[in-house]
């Protein structure tokens, strides 16, 4: 069992938990995720790793209530435990594999949208710990659902907070701030955008025009998290990829976001899954057992 050591409610429907998971914490790197299960009957829920402490053997997760599974999850308290806490899954951020000296020469811009702020944090923290500066834009619909501002401030070279309704920080969506920074003369070599699919789509549309290479982290529906079921199938540069094993990070300028968003909706119903099985043929996998 994996004990919840701390639980904090960040907003109306966003929660943070520190979980004892020594083996996961030991091998975890920024960019990876976990899949949790509360009990024998519980659904498998993929969750963003927001922080990890190798010494203490803990993983911090941040999640938003989006359905019955996460609603049940939010009811857990400190002292309760997960039956399964599988990870670290997915490939670590490519930044972790780059030469530190060449990374120091790069001007990096992170763009975090809503709950996507949680997976951005460990990447910026990792860079900061290795003496590498990065600018960060954090976007939220309004002030009351902005998360992790203080934590991000401590590790970002420059933090730009923007709210869609202008209730705090700059006004407008993250794309407005990217354009403003470029207009103000800021130059970047790499952008890393994590947030809702629609945000990543429009960030990539803009950064393509700005000729700014962009990495995105995709979180489509996942079931097994090991490349077997096919739930997380996405198209990248015209090729079939599975976000759980080939990603979650991809070249944003190659991702077919419209396909990913449409598939996400289709996958939610039995009829949609049956249709996907027909359309996708051999690359559908179907190991989830849900589409047969
Ligand atoms: P949200 O809808 O509140 O959006 C967050 C910010 O994204 C907005 O404030 C805005 O600045 C930007 N944004 C949204 N639409 C945009 C557009 N059309 N153009 C430009 N910018 C836009 O975000 P939320 O409610 O926190 O997001 C929840 C979604 O994020 C869920 O679907 C969840 O699955 C996903 N999510 C993704 C990841 C990931 O790893 N990619 C991680 C956590 C959550
Ligand atoms: Fe990726 Fe099953 S979750 S293949």
């Amino acid at each position: 069992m994996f004990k919840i050591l701390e639980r904090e409610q960040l907003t109306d429907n966003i929660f943070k938990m520190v979980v004892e998971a020594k083996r996961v914490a030991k091998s975890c790197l920024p960019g990876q995720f976990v899949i949790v299960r509360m009990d024998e009957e519980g659904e498998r829920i993929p969750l963003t790793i927001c922080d990890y402490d190798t010494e203490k053997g803990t993983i911090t997760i941040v999640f938003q209530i989006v359905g019955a599974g996460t609603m049940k999850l939010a009811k857990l308290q400190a002292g309760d435990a997960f039956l399964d806490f599988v990870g670290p899954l997915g490939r670590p951020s490519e930044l972790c594999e780059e030469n530190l000296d060449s990374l120091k020469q790069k001007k990096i811009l992170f763009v975090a949208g809503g709950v996507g702020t949680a997976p951005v944090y460990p990447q910026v923290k990792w860079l900061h710990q290795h003496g590498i500066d990065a600018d960060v834009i954090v976007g939220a619909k309004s002030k009351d659902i902005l998360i992790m501002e203080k934590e991000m401030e401590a590790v970002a070279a420059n933090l730009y907070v923007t709210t869609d309704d202008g209730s705090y920080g700059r006004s407008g969506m993250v794309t407005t701030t990217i354009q403003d920074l470029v207009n103000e003369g800021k130059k970047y070599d790499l952008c890393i955008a994590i947030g809702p699919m629609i945000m990543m789509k429009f960030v990539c549309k803009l950064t393509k025009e700005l000729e700014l290479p962009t990495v995105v982290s995709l979180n489509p529906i996942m079931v097994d998290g090991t490349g077997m079921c096919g739930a997380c199938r996405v198209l990248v540069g015209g090729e079939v990829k599975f976000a759980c094993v080939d990603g979650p990070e991809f070249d944003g300028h190659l991702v077919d976001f419209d396909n990913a968003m449409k598939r996400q909706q289709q996958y939610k119903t039995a009829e949609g899954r049956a249709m996907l099985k027909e359309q996708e043929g051999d690359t559908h996998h179907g190991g989830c057992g849900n589409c047969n």
Side-chain angles (χ1 to χ4, degrees), residues 228-231 233 240 242 263 267 272-288 290-292:
M228 300 294 287
C229 72
R233 184 188 192 275
V240 171
F242 295 94
R263 193 179 192 278
Y267 203 88
R273 289 193 294 274
M275 198 186 281
L276 286 170
K277 188 174 179 235
E278 287 306 308
Q279 289 166 350
E280 295 173 352
D282 287 349
T283 61
H284 178 67
H285 285 212
C288 60
N290 289 330
C291 49
N292 291 316

Side-chain angles (χ1 to χ4, degrees), residues 35-85:
I35 289 190
V36 306
R37 208 159 60 113
M38 286 162 53
D39 48 45
E40 290 289 352
E41 282 85 43
E43 67 176 278
R44 297 160 63 90
I45 305 175
L47 294 175
T48 284
I49 294 177
C50 165
D51 204 358
Y52 52 92
D53 189 322
T54 315
E55 309 243 300
K56 289 187 186 154
T58 59
I59 296 282
T60 305
I61 50 173
V62 166
F63 63 91
Q64 185 179 33
I65 298 179
V66 287
T70 39
M71 192 175 281
K72 268 178 85 180
L73 204 67
K75 291 190 178 134
L76 294 177
Q77 301 295 328
D80 292 337
F82 291 100
L83 175 65
D84 296 327
F85 198 88

Side-chain angles (χ1 to χ4, degrees), residues 14 48 64 66 112-116 119 139-141 145 162-164 172-175 194-200 202-203 217-219 264:
I14 304 177
T48 284
Q64 185 179 33
V66 287
V115 200
K141 282 199 190 87
I145 52 170
T162 182
T163 49
D164 299 4
M173 293 192 177
V174 290
T175 38
I194 310 182
M197 206 76 94
I198 189 76
M199 177 203 95
M200 295 189 284
F202 282 99
V203 166
S217 178
L218 301 182
N219 75 330
Q264 188 109 331

Side-chain angles (χ1 to χ4, degrees), residues 235-253:
L235 292 177
V236 183
E239 283 181 38
V240 171
K241 300 279 178 193
F242 295 94
C244 67
V245 285
D246 299 319
E249 292 194 350
F250 294 102
D251 179 339
H253 293 168

Side-chain angles (χ1 to χ4, degrees), residues 221-232 242-244 285:
I221 291 170
M222 291 192 188
V223 180
D224 67 336
T226 59
M228 300 294 287
C229 72
C232 65
F242 295 94
C244 67
H285 285 212

